C-alpha cells in the first residue's frame, strides 16, 4: 500500500482524471516522483469499477482501491445489503474470507463486532484503512487464515460465521463444493462449535440440491439476482435446525426488491395448469428459475404454463407483483407460417424450449436486434413450435 497515493495533490489528480482511460494514464509519465503511472491508473480503474458496484466507496473521498481481481471478486453493495438482513443487531461475526470487505462492512453496521480475516497482508491493510474512512469502527482486520483463527478461538466465540469459499484453487477453477477453499463441508463440525449460525456465499452455478446433500442444518437458501443476473447463493445453517429448508428467490432490479419463497416439497406437490398464450406473457426472473420454482410460481400467481419445459406463463389478467418481466401479447404465429413470412424485421429475440438458438434464428429470418417488439420462440401445450410477438410492460 503506497500511502503517497493518499496525499492531497495525488488525490486531486486522481479525481480530475477518473473519467479517463486507465490505459492512457498508465502510458503517460507520472507527475509525482513517489507514485508511478501504473499506480495512478490502478486507482482510476478501481474507481471506475466501483461507481455502480460500490457507490459508497466510489463517492467517499480518499478511498484506496486494491488490485483489479479483488474488486472483481467482491460483492456489490446491493447484495451485501441482503446479507445484512440475515444477522441480529449487536451480535459478533467472523468473516473467514474477508477480501475487500464489502460484506464485512455491511455486516458491521448491524453487528457489535466483525472480525475480518485475510491472508493477504496488503489487502488487509487497505481494508483497515478504508474502514476508518467509511467510519466502520467495529471492523477489526486480522492478517491470518480464517480457519486457523477459528480453531484458536473459544467455543461459541461468535454468533455468526460468514464464509465465501474461493472457487479458484492453485490457479485452476473448481466446481465441487468440497474442492473450494476453505472446505466448508469438512469444517462444519468446527464451525458449529464456534458459532450457532453459518452463512456461506456460494457460486451461482452451484447445484442447490447437491449442496443441500453436503451441508447439514440448512434453514434457508437465498438465490440472489441483480438485474436478471444470478449473482450468488446464500446457504444459512443453524446449529439446532431440523427440517426442510426454505428457498428464497430474491430479485433486485431498478433499486427495487421482490422475493418469493417456497420449499421443494411444495414444488414437487404442485400440478401445473397448462394454457395457450393469453393476453399477458410472464417471463420469470433468473432467481426464480435458479431456485427451481418452475411450477409453484405459476400456481401462486394464478398463471397457466405454456409448456412443461418452456417456463413461460400466461394469463388474461395483469399481475404487477410477478417476479419477472411481463409482456402484452400482440399475436401468436405458428412457426411454420413464421418461416414463410416474417413480419418483424427487427425485434428482441428469446427462446424457451426451442431447438434453434437466438443467433441462428436471427440469421435464418434476417431479424435485426432491438426495437420495441419482443419475439419468444417456444413450444405450446400441444408441442407445436410457435413465435409469440409482444411488447414489454414491465
Amino acid at each position: 500500500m503506497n500511502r503517497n497515493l493518499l496525499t492531497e495533490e495525488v488525490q486531486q489528480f486522481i479525481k480530475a482524471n477518473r473519467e479517463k482511460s486507465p490505459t492512457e494514464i498508465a502510458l503517460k509519465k507520472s507527475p509525482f516522483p513517489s507514485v508511478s503511472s501504473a499506480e495512478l491508473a490502478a486507482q482510476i480503474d478501481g474507481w471506475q469499477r466501483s461507481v455502480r458496484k460500490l457507490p459508497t466507496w466510489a463517492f467517499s473521498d480518499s478511498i484506496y482501491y486494491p488490485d483489479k481481481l479483488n474488486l472483481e471478486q467482491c460483492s456489490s453493495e446491493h447484495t451485501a445489503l441482503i446479507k445484512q438482513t440475515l444477522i441480529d443487531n449487536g451480535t459478533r461475526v467472523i468473516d473467514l474470507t474477508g477480501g475487500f470487505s464489502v460484506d464485512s462492512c455491511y455486516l458491521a453496521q448491524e453487528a457489535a463486532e466483525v472480525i475480518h480475516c485475510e491472508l493477504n497482508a496488503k489487502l488487509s491493510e487497505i481494508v483497515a484503512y478504508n474502514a476508518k474512512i467509511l467510519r466502520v469502527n467495529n471492523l477489526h482486520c486480522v492478517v491470518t487464515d480464517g480457519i486457523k483463527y477459528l480453531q484458536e478461538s473459544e467455543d461459541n466465540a461468535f454468533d455468526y460465521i460468514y464464509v465465501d469459499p474461493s472457487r479458484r484453487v492453485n490457479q485452476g477453477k473448481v466446481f465441487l463444493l468440497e474442492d473450494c477453499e476453505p472446505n466448508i463441508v469438512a469444517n462444519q463440525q468446527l464451525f458449529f462449535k464456534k458459532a450457532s449460525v453459518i452463512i456461506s456465499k456460494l457460486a451461482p452455478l452451484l447445484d442447490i440440491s447437491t449442496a443441500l446433500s453436503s451441508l447439514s442444518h440448512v434453514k434457508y437458501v437465498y438465490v440472489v439476482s441483480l438485474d436478471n443476473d444470478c449473482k450468488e447463493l446464500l446457504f444459512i445453517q443453524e446449529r439446532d435446525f431440523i427440517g426442510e429448508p426454505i428457498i428464497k428467490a430474491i430479485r433486485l432490479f431498478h433499486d427495487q426488491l421482490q422475493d418469493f419463497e417456497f420449499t421443494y416439497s411444495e414444488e414437487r406437490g404442485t400440478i401445473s395448469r397448462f394454457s395457450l398464450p393469453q393476453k399477458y406473457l410472464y417471463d420469470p426472473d433468473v432467481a426464480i428459475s435458479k431456485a427451481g420454482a418452475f411450477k409453484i410460481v405459476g400456481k401462486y400467481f394464478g398463471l397457466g404454463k405454456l409448456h412443461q419445459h418452456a417456463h413461460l406463463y400466461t394469463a388474461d389478467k395483469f399481475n404487477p407483483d410477478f417476479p419477472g418481466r411481463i409482456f402484452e401479447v400482440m399475436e401468436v404465429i405458428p412457426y411454420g407460417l413464421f418461416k414463410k413470412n416474417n413480419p418483424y424485421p427487427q425485434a428482441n429475440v428469446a427462446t424457451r424450449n426451442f431447438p434453434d438458438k437466438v443467433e441462428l434464428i436471427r440469421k435464418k429470418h434476417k431479424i435485426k436486434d432491438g426495437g420495441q417488439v419482443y419475439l419468444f420462440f417456444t413450444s405450446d401445450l400441444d408441442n407445436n413450435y410457435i413465435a409469440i410477438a409482444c411488447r414489454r410492460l414491465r
Side-chain angles (χ1 to χ4, degrees):
M1 181 176 176
N2 184 358
R3 291 187 176 267
N4 291 310
L5 279 163
L6 302 173
T7 61
E8 184 177 351
E9 59 178 350
V10 175
Q11 285 293 304
Q12 286 178 348
F13 175 89
I14 292 171
K15 192 171 184 177
N17 292 274
R18 64 187 183 187
E19 303 283 355
K20 293 183 179 179
S21 165
T23 303
E24 179 187 333
I25 298 297
L27 293 174
K28 290 182 178 180
K29 183 181 178 180
S30 171
F32 310 105
S34 57
V35 176
S36 69
S37 55
E39 288 175 316
L40 292 170
Q43 292 303 299
I44 289 169
D45 179 74
W47 182 84
Q48 291 176 2
R49 290 175 184 276
S50 300
V51 169
R52 290 189 178 182
K53 188 176 184 178
L54 306 171
T56 298
W57 276 254
F59 295 104
S60 296
D61 291 335
S62 301
I63 289 292
Y64 196 109
Y65 295 100
D67 294 339
K68 178 171 66 175
L69 182 62
N70 300 129
L71 282 171
E72 289 174 346
Q73 293 178 339
C74 74
S75 297
S76 69
E77 288 193 58
H78 292 89
T79 58
L81 277 166
I82 299 297
K83 302 179 192 82
Q84 188 184 78
T85 67
L86 302 179
I87 69 169
D88 292 332
N89 182 263
T91 48
R92 195 162 188 253
V93 181
I94 181 169
D95 184 344
L96 299 181
T97 49
F100 189 47
S101 81
V102 178
D103 290 326
S104 289
C105 284
Y106 273 87
L107 291 170
Q109 292 180 23
E110 194 69 23
E113 180 185 33
V114 175
I115 304 296
H116 176 277
C117 299
E118 174 53 54
L119 276 169
N120 184 328
K122 178 184 174 182
L123 182 57
S124 184
E125 182 185 6
I126 291 171
V127 168
Y129 163 78
N130 285 339
K132 291 180 180 178
I133 295 295
L134 297 170
R135 298 180 182 178
V136 185
N137 299 318
N138 58 337
L139 179 68
H140 302 295
C141 297
V142 185
V143 182
T144 186
D145 174 79
I147 296 295
K148 182 181 178 182
Y149 189 93
L150 205 59
Q151 289 170 335
E152 296 172 353
S153 301
E154 295 181 359
D155 289 355
N156 298 309
F158 303 96
D159 298 291
Y160 299 91
I161 292 171
Y162 177 73
V163 58
D164 177 7
S166 173
R167 272 79 69 183
R168 289 196 174 274
V169 180
N170 297 324
Q171 298 183 340
K173 198 166 186 178
V174 297
F175 299 95
L176 297 177
L177 194 56
E178 292 84 350
D179 294 334
C180 297
E181 290 185 358
N183 185 337
I184 63 173
V185 177
N187 283 293
Q188 287 179 93
Q189 188 175 358
L190 169 67
F191 290 173
F192 280 128
K193 283 178 65 178
K194 306 301 181 179
S196 56
V197 180
I198 307 163
I199 302 172
S200 299
K201 172 188 169 183
L202 304 180
L205 291 177
L206 183 75
D207 181 73
I208 295 174
S209 297
T210 302
L212 287 173
S213 67
S214 301
L215 300 175
S216 60
H217 306 294
V218 178
K219 188 172 184 179
Y220 297 103
V221 178
Y222 283 67
V223 182
V224 183
S225 75
L226 177 61
D227 296 330
N228 205 29
D229 181 13
C230 191
K231 291 296 185 182
E232 57 196 41
L233 307 178
L234 302 173
F235 284 70
I236 294 89
Q237 299 168 261
E238 281 193 13
R239 181 192 288 158
D240 300 320
F241 177 75
I242 297 174
E244 184 178 14
I246 293 174
I247 314 298
K248 288 177 171 276
I250 307 292
R251 180 194 184 208
L252 303 171
F253 67 108
H254 304 313
D255 293 325
Q256 298 180 57
L257 183 152
Q258 285 180 313
D259 68 317
F260 182 80
E261 66 177 55
F262 66 102
T263 64
Y264 283 138
S265 62
E266 289 173 335
E267 170 67 15
R268 288 190 296 270
T270 299
I271 298 174
S272 293
R273 176 178 63 84
F274 295 97
S275 170
L276 292 171
Q278 299 179 43
K279 185 175 181 179
Y280 298 105
L281 188 71
Y282 293 83
D283 180 28
D285 185 81
V286 67
I288 297 292
S289 302
K290 177 63 183 180
F294 300 120
K295 297 184 290 184
I296 195 166
V297 72
K299 179 182 177 182
Y300 183 87
F301 289 99
L303 308 175
K305 196 173 185 184
L306 295 192
H307 187 278
Q308 181 180 355
H309 303 299
H311 310 315
L312 285 171
Y313 307 84
T314 189
D316 276 330
K317 291 184 179 180
F318 177 74
N319 191 331
D321 296 326
F322 179 79
R325 299 186 299 174
I326 306 174
F327 301 85
E328 183 177 27
V329 175
M330 299 187 298
E331 65 174 322
V332 179
I333 309 171
Y335 186 56
L337 294 179
F338 189 92
K339 288 192 289 186
K340 295 176 183 177
N341 179 30
N342 168 23
Y344 300 102
Q346 183 178 32
N348 303 279
V349 176
T351 60
R352 301 288 188 276
N353 195 48
F354 195 82
D356 294 340
K357 295 187 180 298
V358 169
E359 288 309 312
L360 181 56
I361 291 171
R362 288 194 182 283
K363 186 177 179 181
K364 272 185 179 181
H365 305 294
K366 298 180 173 59
I367 305 172
K368 292 182 180 179
D369 189 23
Q372 301 300 311
V373 175
Y374 287 76
L375 285 174
F376 283 87
F377 291 83
T378 186
S379 308
D380 68 14
L381 56 84
D382 296 317
N383 292 311
N384 298 311
Y385 292 137
I386 55 175
I388 305 174
C390 48
R391 65 183 183 91
R392 186 172 177 179
L393 300 179
R394 195 180 65 73

